[in-house]
Amino acid sequence: MITYHQHKYFTLIELLSVIGIIAIVAGIILGGMSYAGRRADQAKTLSIIEGFTMALEAFKEDRGFYPIVSTAAQVKFEAGAGNAWDKFLSGHSSNNRPYMEGIQDGTELKDAYGNMLWYQCPGTNNPQKFDLWSTGPDGQQGDKNGVDFTKAGNGDDICNWM
């Protein structure tokens, strides 16, 4: 008796279908990871802003005022520069601890995107307190067309008044 062995192979259409399904699933996973990364950067920036806000509130509690910066400026701590941050940098709070850990001469306060934070007191949006914001992932401040660079508001900026 003669027996024939019948071999089953995948057809080209079956292989392309499986590859297509794998590509679709990979796209969904990578898209979700990108979204999660953006949300994590936003959360980290909000945390930095909150931490600095708490330090500013402690400073006001001790001194009776916030550091005055009448026009929007990047937050850079320089000892002896005669700027608003001299007293914040040189003085310690009433409990003999620094207002914010890691702040020393030459420190630049940066967000999760590597951009410096901006500060203005009295604030345009918070006239009783201060405005503190990050320029967000694009690193550009204000209007995307470059119209207003004095305050945040181009949609991706992260700030303490929204």
Side-chain angles (χ1 to χ4, degrees):
M1 169 190 282
I2 302 174
T3 59
Y4 292 96
H5 294 283
Q6 200 172 17
H7 295 287
K8 283 220 167 218
Y9 297 103
F10 288 109
T11 65
L12 183 60
I13 292 176
E14 290 171 331
L15 286 174
L16 290 176
S17 298
V18 170
I19 291 171
I21 290 170
I22 290 171
I24 289 170
V25 170
I28 291 170
I29 290 172
L30 291 176
M33 287 175 30
S34 172
Y35 175 75
R38 286 193 310 269
R39 295 289 296 176
D41 287 341
Q42 276 183 331
K44 182 177 179 184
T45 300
L46 280 170
S47 174
I48 292 167
I49 287 174
E50 266 308 304
F52 191 54
T53 297
M54 289 174 28
L56 289 168
E57 292 294 340
F59 181 88
K60 183 181 188 262
E61 186 71 27
D62 287 344
R63 310 275 175 137
F65 61 91
Y66 296 109
I68 305 295
V69 178
S70 56
T71 57
Q74 293 178 329
V75 180
K76 183 173 183 181
F77 300 96
E78 297 175 276
N83 62 22
W85 304 114
D86 272 345
K87 290 181 180 167
F88 189 87
L89 187 61
S90 63
H92 290 294
S93 64
S94 55
N95 61 4
N96 265 348
R97 297 181 62 196
Y99 289 108
M100 190 171 180
E101 295 295 327
I103 299 296
Q104 54 194 1
D105 189 19
T107 300
E108 297 175 341
L109 197 56
K110 294 188 176 185
D111 62 13
Y113 309 101
N115 305 319
M116 289 180 64
L117 291 183
W118 289 77
Y119 174 82
Q120 181 177 359
C121 180
T124 305
N125 297 290
N126 288 326
Q128 302 301 325
K129 289 188 170 192
F130 54 88
D131 291 346
L132 181 62
W133 69 95
S134 158
T135 55
D138 70 355
Q140 293 185 353
Q141 200 172 318
D143 193 311
K144 284 190 176 186
N145 299 320
V147 176
D148 186 0
F149 282 93
T150 59
K151 59 184 176 184
N154 71 356
D156 73 342
D157 296 348
I158 302 168
C159 50
N160 71 334
W161 62 85
M162 284 197 244

